[in-house]
Amino acid sequence: RTMLERHWPVIHVNKPIEDIVAILDGDGATAARPAYGQGVSTREVWERRRLHYECCSTHEFPIAKGDSGFSAITKDFVVFARKILGPRDLTVFDRYSAFLCLTAGTYIGQDVSALVKDHELAELRVDLLTSMTNDSVRAEVASIRRAAPDLKLLLTARTEGEG
């Protein structure tokens, strides 16, 4: 949270929790996700984290309840982001994009370029790294950046209960 508070902008894409619950917990849910903990619902996790999102974000992009028009939402988001960021190049994918989760203990000295080829985004699971000190995480990110400079990185740290 402290790191996010030092960066600008932080945009909270706020989709109604009812829609999120319907997608993640509904009958059509197919994605295997880590458990939040025994008996903990998606809604409870949202309520616990809501204040963090509200405190850390500098802007909010609300999505109307029931709106599933991803293409229109994406176009609206780009307009919204351009108003905040000004005249910058914003890449918008008009096709399905590929995502990769990096879960090894270290990437220092490894060439991950073949691994991340054709992926637009990689999640670096910081909680699974051998060392989680600020300097170590910076070194991991630098190593990945050297091998794949155009790759967008999402750093996450999950609790044991979240998987």
Side-chain angles (χ1 to χ4, degrees):
R1 185 166 86 175
T2 302
M3 180 193 72
L4 286 175
E5 289 172 349
R6 285 184 270 161
H7 288 77
W8 181 91
V10 176
I11 301 173
H12 176 195
V13 178
N14 194 352
K15 186 175 183 100
I17 188 59
E18 297 82 6
D19 292 349
I20 294 169
V21 168
I23 291 166
L24 296 180
D25 299 341
D27 293 336
T30 57
R33 296 178 297 112
Y36 291 127
Q38 191 169 8
V40 179
S41 71
T42 301
R43 187 178 300 276
E44 289 169 318
V45 170
W46 162 247
E47 290 301 331
R48 188 176 69 231
R49 294 179 180 172
R50 177 197 303 246
L51 185 59
H52 296 297
Y53 295 128
E54 291 171 356
C55 289
C56 292
S57 60
T58 57
H59 299 80
E60 179 181 356
F61 178 78
I63 299 174
K65 184 176 181 190
D67 189 347
S68 60
F70 183 73
S71 179
I73 292 169
T74 301
K75 288 177 185 175
D76 291 346
F77 180 79
V78 169
V79 169
F80 180 81
R82 283 192 174 129
K83 285 180 182 177
I84 296 166
L85 297 171
R88 295 184 188 181
D89 182 30
L90 299 178
T91 302
V92 178
F93 299 105
D94 58 357
R95 58 179 171 73
Y96 287 104
S97 58
F99 166 85
L100 177 70
C101 186
L102 301 171
T103 59
T106 187
Y107 292 92
I108 295 173
Q110 296 183 34
D111 182 2
V112 297
S113 59
L115 180 66
V116 301
K117 183 179 181 272
D118 299 325
H119 291 82
E120 286 82 23
L121 174 75
E123 173 190 21
L124 176 59
R125 287 283 305 275
V126 175
D127 55 300
L128 299 177
L129 293 174
T130 305
S131 173
M132 293 188 342
T133 66
N134 287 342
D135 288 341
S136 295
V137 173
R138 283 187 192 102
E140 296 290 347
V141 169
S143 182
I144 294 167
R145 286 271 175 249
R146 276 191 296 279
D150 296 326
L151 180 69
K152 293 171 183 69
L153 276 177
L154 170 67
L155 279 60
T156 59
R158 297 184 186 173
T159 65
E160 190 174 307
E162 292 172 327

